[in-house]
Amino acid sequence: MSQSIQAVGAGPVWGWRLVAFTAAAFVCLPLVSTLWLATSSTGEFWTHLWSTVLPRYVVTTLELMAGTGILTALFGLVSAWLVVCFDFPGRRFFSWALLLPFAFPAYVIAFVYTDFLEYAGVFQSALREIFGWDSPGDYWFPEIRSLGGATAMFSLVLYPYVYLTTRAALLEQSGNLFLASRSLGRGYLGTLWSVLLPAVRPGLAVGLALVLMETLNDFGTVDYFAVQTLTAGLFDTWLNYGDVGGAAQIAISMVTFALLLIYLEQFSRRKVRVYQSRTRSPIQRARLNTVQSAWAILFALHW
Amino acid sequence: MKQFFKRALTVSAAALMLPSLQAQAAETVNIYSNRQPYLIQPILNAFTKETGIETKVVYAKKGIAERLAREGKNSPADVVLTVDIGRSQELMDKDVVQPIKSAVLEKNIPAQYRDPEGRWFGLTVRARAIYASRERVKNLDLNYEDLAKPEFKGKVCTRSGKHPYNLALIASLIAHKGEAAAEEWLRGVKANLARKPQGNDRAQVKAIKEGICDVSLGNSYYLGKMLTNEKQIEWAQAVNIVFPNQSNRGTHVNISAASVTKYAPHKEAAVKLIEFLSERLAQKMYAEQNFEYPVNPAVEPSGLVESWGKFKADTLPLSEVAKHRKTAAKLVDKVNFDG
Ligand SMILES: [Fe+2]
């Protein structure tokens, strides 16, 4: 009897394994071919790059990732917290509208914002009109095509990753936890920081990891913003120095860095246990008063 | 029974398709192109009309040389249409093109604009011009060297030093004056920049219009493109086009070019196509459509381009320029030009 069950079970399991294996192999193909390409370069260009622009590329990349990481974490977490834990007019609308930036590639949004905010754009033109300035020397305005601009752009486009994963994690939490903390006298922000944050940290980390990898691998947006990250070095090595193998080596370094990030994240929470009560009671949404609601809506509408 | 019919149908369809593909292949030339469809397609249509040879184009912005190298003998490509001498050089470095001898091409294309061994042939010529504010720059007798002089401090705009157009210009400086002088020049220009290198050639002219800078580097045909663009015409009207170094070596020029691939399955048709591209009809179409200079001296540029006046082009063979391209890229890194 048990044999026949096994026999019946074995077929599909093997089938699925084959499917999974094929899929995995297919996904790994680019990685393997990149590794293969990387062996084709002697790597002599590294000396030149290291002694010239590479340190700058690395620093810029880290700055961009740090900035984008902090902003997306903040915005993703707070917006998820608002739509899960509170009730205010438009909450239902925002709970899906906050995902909308997903529909646009970062560089498209970059085009739109730059067009609006640059010197000849609508915004600065209006300022000049109002204040009677007529040349760039007359006033100061932040440079849109800069590291800061790129960070803002990535944050605007990528925060939904954090929002999505954090919201899912928050919805998993027991309302009792929330209530207990509140009844012990902690405020909303205190509860968010010391009770909810540790509980949703795994979800937030997953979202954040995705954000950072997207930032790391982007070329279009950073190129448009004249911000040189490692991808600039990669294309440069490939197209201007004609060294595909070298470009592949840079790519491998970037993949390694991404893997390191994931590992660090997992390592850092090896002792954290996430409790989930069996009898889950959903979080009771707290009603916000008018002023609070206005703030919440303003926040959700983007800065 | 139904199954049988279905299968028979599939098999016979497949059998029919094979010879038809081959028949088609005999009269087709396959093209990998850096150049954009709006420019190439009308010319290719004219070619098909005249010769009966069909064309098939794969458009790609980057990476054609790699692709050819990867495909090797199995590549379907016959002709590569590239922009910039650097890309042509890359095709030779990767050993994916072959030498061609053609009396027509040698007659139509001046020697300086083709590879001595026939591995690339220039089809159009563009000048690397200086755009100067009509309002703020009065002396139009300019040299590239002037862009590095203190009088232009904070007044120069350019796209990335790593862009092929600028790399070729720097390479030509290396060829003429040596590496040290080119480095000196790069440092000087960097010190004069009004802003970090960004955007394309047209964006610099826009910046001149906005008062951000007074002079910029840009390819000549962009003036024609801006003048015929409703939104950009006001940028173009804010500048004069200057052909630099007229009293000495001449203005640096670059080309768009064609090559026959190493393993071209339809070599004969490929050569025919390139010859066609060097003849009057195609040259005229290039000139009118994209405001470039025809490489064929017997063909005149478009009326608009002619109105900018004649200029003296640097006679340094482009194959010499191509040799210094990697050094140019290294110099750009060394002086941290884009940073
Ligand atoms: Fe161009």
Side-chain angles (χ1 to χ4, degrees), chain A residues 56-140:
Chain A
R56 176 162 63 82
Y57 292 169
V58 171
V59 170
T60 309
T61 307
L62 292 177
E63 283 172 342
L64 184 67
M65 288 173 80
T68 308
I70 291 169
L71 286 179
T72 50
L74 197 75
F75 194 73
L77 173 68
V78 173
S79 53
W81 176 59
L82 284 174
V83 298
V84 172
C85 300
F86 301 96
D87 214 353
F88 55 93
R91 187 194 67 80
R92 277 170 163 281
F93 165 75
F94 283 119
S95 62
W96 62 264
L98 280 164
L99 289 172
L100 279 182
F102 262 160
F104 306 95
Y107 67 87
V108 171
I109 300 211
F111 279 139
V112 174
Y113 272 91
T114 321
D115 211 42
F116 179 70
L117 289 172
E118 71 177 351
Y119 182 80
V122 180
F123 188 69
Q124 287 198 56
S125 297
L127 283 182
R128 284 195 296 274
E129 195 69 27
I130 294 165
F131 295 102
W133 300 319
D134 49 28
S135 81
D138 291 351
Y139 63 105
W140 180 86

Side-chain angles (χ1 to χ4, degrees), chain A residues 184-206:
Chain A
L184 287 170
R186 282 196 195 268
Y188 288 127
L189 280 174
T191 307
L192 172 66
W193 181 253
S194 54
V195 179
L196 291 180
L197 186 58
V200 300
R201 206 177 121 193
L204 192 133
V206 170

Side-chain angles (χ1 to χ4, degrees), chain A residues 56 118 120 226 236 238 241, chain B residues 66 162 206 210 333 336:
Chain A
R56 176 162 63 82
E118 71 177 351
D236 201 32
W238 173 27
Y241 294 118
Chain B
E66 261 90 39
K162 279 295 178 62
K206 182 174 172 222
E210 290 162 358
D333 280 343
N336 201 10

Side-chain angles (χ1 to χ4, degrees), chain B residues 151-171:
Chain B
E151 63 200 79
F152 282 115
K153 185 141 196 90
K155 294 182 175 162
V156 180
C157 276
T158 177
R159 76 192 313 165
S160 162
K162 279 295 178 62
H163 192 275
Y165 300 160
N166 281 341
L167 284 179
L169 172 63
I170 299 161

